[in-house]
């Protein structure tokens, strides 16, 4: 019993913190492209300089395969990685769609 308590305590201390994903941000009433109030990896869409905060990080968001706009009921799959090379940080992220981008798509399709 004593060993189980020690293992459980060790796992609780070593557990990683939960990063804000699209669903968590939406549940908290924030924009899914990042928040000025919650520090997370999606903040890079508001300020690209935040990539310096999230070094050596991989993120993937599962979604559905559809042709409609990205929404809470049918999210698109997206993901990427951020790496550090000395004092330089870089990243590649695929699949993110902003509301402005979806608005331009809709306007070009009707016009």
């Amino acid at each position: 019993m004593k060993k189980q308590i020690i293992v459980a305590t060790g796992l609780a201390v070593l557990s990683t913190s939960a990063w804000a994903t699209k669903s968590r941000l939406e549940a908290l009433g924030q924009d899914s492209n990042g928040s000025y109030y919650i520090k997370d990896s999606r903040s890079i869409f508001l300020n690209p300089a935040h990539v310096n905060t999230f070094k050596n990080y991989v993120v993937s968001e599962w979604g559905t395969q559809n042709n409609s706009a990205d929404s809470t009921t049918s999210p698109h799959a997206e993901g990427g990685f951020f790496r550090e090379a000395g004092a330089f940080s870089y990243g590649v992220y695929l699949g993110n769609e902003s509301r402005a981008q979806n608005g331009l798509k809709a306007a070009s399709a009707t016009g």
Side-chain angles (χ1 to χ4, degrees), residues 86-105:
F88 181 71
S89 297
Y90 63 94
V92 174
Y93 199 93
L94 301 172
N96 184 50
E97 292 185 7
S98 66
R99 288 190 184 128
Q101 180 184 10
N102 289 334
L104 290 172
K105 273 192 211 177

Side-chain angles (χ1 to χ4, degrees), residues 3-86:
K3 288 182 183 179
Q4 292 173 342
I5 293 173
I6 291 171
V7 169
T9 305
L11 290 174
V13 171
L14 296 175
S15 66
T16 59
S17 59
W19 294 100
T21 61
K22 286 171 55 173
S23 59
R24 179 173 170 230
L25 286 173
E26 289 168 358
L28 293 171
Q30 302 293 312
D31 185 17
S32 65
N33 281 325
S35 173
Y36 292 109
Y37 307 106
I38 300 170
K39 185 177 178 183
D40 69 334
S41 63
R42 297 199 63 85
S43 298
I44 63 164
F45 301 118
L46 297 175
N47 184 358
H50 285 271
V51 76
N52 293 315
T53 306
F54 300 98
K55 301 173 186 174
N56 302 326
Y57 182 73
V58 175
V59 62
S60 65
E61 301 259 350
W62 297 95
T64 59
Q65 182 177 0
N66 57 21
N67 293 329
S68 64
D70 191 23
S71 67
T72 56
T73 57
S74 61
H76 289 177
E78 58 186 77
F81 69 93
F82 310 110
R83 293 279 303 172
E84 174 185 23

